[in-house]
Amino acid sequence: MSHLVLGFDLVIVAGLAWLAWQALFDRHRFSAVVHFMAFGLVMALVWVRLDALDIALAEAAIGAGVTGALLLAALGRLPATSGHAPGWRDSQWPLVLLALVTTLAATLTLAWVAWQLPRPGLAAPIGEALPNSGVNHAVTAVLLNLRAWDTLLEMTVMLTAVCLVWSLGPALMPYAPATSLPGLPALARLLHPLFLLVPAYLLWRGSHAPGGAFPAGAVLGAGGVLLVLTDAVPWMHEPRRQPLLRLLLAAGVLLFLAVALGGVLLAGTFLVIPASVAGTVILAVEVAAALSIALMLMAFYLYGEPGR
Amino acid sequence: MLHTTTAALLLLNAGVALWRLHRGPTSADRMLAAQLVTTSSIAVLLLLGAELEQPALVDVALLFGLLAAVATANFVTRTWTLLHEETGSREEASRD
């Protein structure tokens, strides 16, 4: 039995290493992108084996789904002649070797540090703090209460990335008109209810089981990407809707900041949520964060600033 | 035991798909191989979920299924673009 499980894990690890190598070094760009998408899938399986279901959910939604779609669409924007990446020039080889050595050294250092970490880790203190955090699931408690600062910074990073993408130029319209691919709008119409239902379910589950704002936002965003593909969200391109779009994009970060400042007023400390209202506040922040994450993913997909 | 054995077999099946993913030769072959990896992973997740009695694995499988549809839709629009926008890229779309 244990031999079987060990073999199972070894196959996953070997597949993961192979896919990572191909995604990085395959000169054929489309092949590299598809290898990256498969890498996300196998990575999610690895997180499942490591018993980290929250990360598996996020990896399945963001790594395998949305990032793969984003890379595929970016590839479609490149001229057809650039299907192959150019090979390395001779002068680049020392840099490649240096990068390999640095990566290897960093990996070994990280492995050494991880080995030195105190055991059994922080599970017990988090378990003690759980009753005052407003939720019953340890991961959600850490993400949105105990270490909410990290999550706030992550949201800010995503918002900055949207600003960067939009600063590149005006938004690109989807290539294929809906009339030439009639199956696409039909698929979007059939699937979109599911893309609304599943995030709602993930958000609701987040308070007591694996789920939460990030996977929910990513699935909602993937549904939105389907809508962008079928050209079904013309309001995003209308100049008079731009203030609303920007407000929604920033809603997650803004509400998070408001909660943080509310902590200063009520408890005297930045980002402290009083235990009596913690459940409600966390739910509100999660809903706003999921909506913002979904819109940010759709905003990446426009490849430029809309309404310009 | 039966669950784990079946899951291991399905994982090997996905390994065969990896070979096809690498070989191609057309982009449709590669995309279908990636979809085969997705389908096998869904089955592996459901089997593991039953074996380990972790119902949350069904959620991960659900996300795999949903997002595979988005990837395919993206692939179709990209291929359509290659076939219709530039005449010179028609061969590229069928070959790459």
Side-chain angles (χ1 to χ4, degrees):
Chain A
M1 183 66 191
S2 62
H3 287 292
L4 191 63
V5 174
L6 186 67
F8 187 84
D9 290 348
L10 283 178
V11 170
I12 292 187
V13 169
L16 193 70
W18 163 256
L19 284 169
W21 179 264
Q22 287 294 324
L24 283 174
F25 295 108
D26 199 331
R27 299 257 295 280
H28 192 284
R29 285 197 168 120
F30 180 81
S31 178
V33 168
V34 179
H35 274 103
F36 176 79
M37 290 163 76
F39 173 82
L41 295 172
V42 179
M43 195 67 217
L45 281 182
V46 170
W47 287 122
V48 165
R49 287 295 301 141
L50 290 174
D51 226 2
L53 289 182
D54 290 86
I55 311 181
L57 278 173
E59 177 69 35
I62 300 174
V66 180
T67 319
L70 210 58
L71 287 175
L72 255 190
L75 196 62
R77 303 287 184 187
L78 290 175
T81 45
S82 62
H84 285 80
W88 280 317
R89 277 172 269 127
D90 284 341
S91 57
Q92 282 172 316
W93 275 108
L95 280 176
V96 173
L97 285 179
L98 186 70
L100 277 178
V101 170
T102 316
T103 314
L104 204 65
T107 312
L108 286 177
T109 319
L110 278 177
W112 173 246
V113 171
W115 193 255
Q116 302 279 312
L117 282 178
R119 271 164 261 196
L122 292 171
I126 289 171
E128 282 167 25
L130 205 52
N132 294 324
S133 68
V135 287
N136 297 324
H137 184 50
V139 176
T140 312
V142 171
L143 281 182
L144 287 156
N145 197 338
L146 306 177
R147 294 292 303 173
W149 175 240
D150 297 349
T151 313
L152 175 60
L153 288 185
E154 275 170 38
M155 302 276 302
T156 320
V157 166
M158 273 190 82
L159 196 60
T160 317
V162 170
C163 296
L164 271 176
V165 171
W166 280 15
S167 70
L168 294 177
L172 299 172
M173 294 304 275
Y175 265 130
T179 45
S180 60
L181 289 168
L184 205 54
L187 179 78
R189 221 167 283 138
L190 269 175
L191 279 182
H192 206 256
L194 266 181
F195 277 107
L196 297 177
L197 188 65
V198 171
Y201 162 72
L202 285 173
L203 264 183
W204 165 76
R205 255 185 89 86
S207 65
H208 58 273
F214 272 88
V219 175
L220 200 59
V225 164
L226 206 57
L227 290 185
V228 173
L229 268 184
T230 50
D231 207 4
V233 277
W235 68 271
M236 284 184 93
H237 292 279
E238 276 177 31
R240 67 191 174 87
R241 303 271 188 204
Q242 292 312 307
L244 176 69
L245 179 61
R246 275 144 219 253
L247 183 70
L248 287 175
L249 276 173
V253 175
L254 289 181
L255 192 66
F256 224 135
L257 274 178
V259 168
L261 293 175
V264 176
L265 289 181
L266 289 176
T269 315
F270 194 65
L271 261 178
V272 162
I273 308 175
S276 52
V277 291
T280 326
V281 168
I282 287 181
L283 188 67
V285 170
E286 278 204 293
V287 170
L291 276 178
S292 284
I293 290 170
L295 265 174
M296 284 180 207
L297 292 172
M298 288 168 77
F300 286 138
Y301 216 80
L302 298 174
Y303 295 103
E305 188 184 354
R308 199 160 91 174
Chain B
M1 184 67 195
L2 180 66
H3 286 148
T4 320
T5 318
T6 323
L9 281 177
L10 280 165
L11 203 64
L12 289 178
N13 191 34
V16 178
L18 290 195
W19 170 72
R20 191 71 202 199
L21 198 64
H22 173 64
R23 185 172 165 264
T26 69
S27 28
D29 288 322
R30 293 208 163 94
M31 198 65 211
L32 280 178
Q35 296 299 321
L36 179 59
V37 175
T38 313
T39 320
S40 310
S41 313
I42 291 175
V44 167
L45 282 171
L46 293 177
L47 285 165
L48 282 183
E51 172 77 24
L52 307 172
E53 287 169 10
Q54 280 189 325
L57 291 193
V58 179
D59 295 349
V60 186
L62 178 69
L63 291 201
F64 272 35
L66 269 180
L67 289 151
V70 178
T72 316
N74 260 294
F75 172 71
V76 170
T77 44
R78 172 184 177 268
T79 312
W80 187 90
T81 311
L82 281 181
L83 286 175
H84 287 78
E85 289 270 307
E86 296 155 59
T87 45
S89 60
R90 188 175 292 259
E91 289 165 33
E92 155 81 12
S94 59
R95 194 160 24 83
D96 75 353

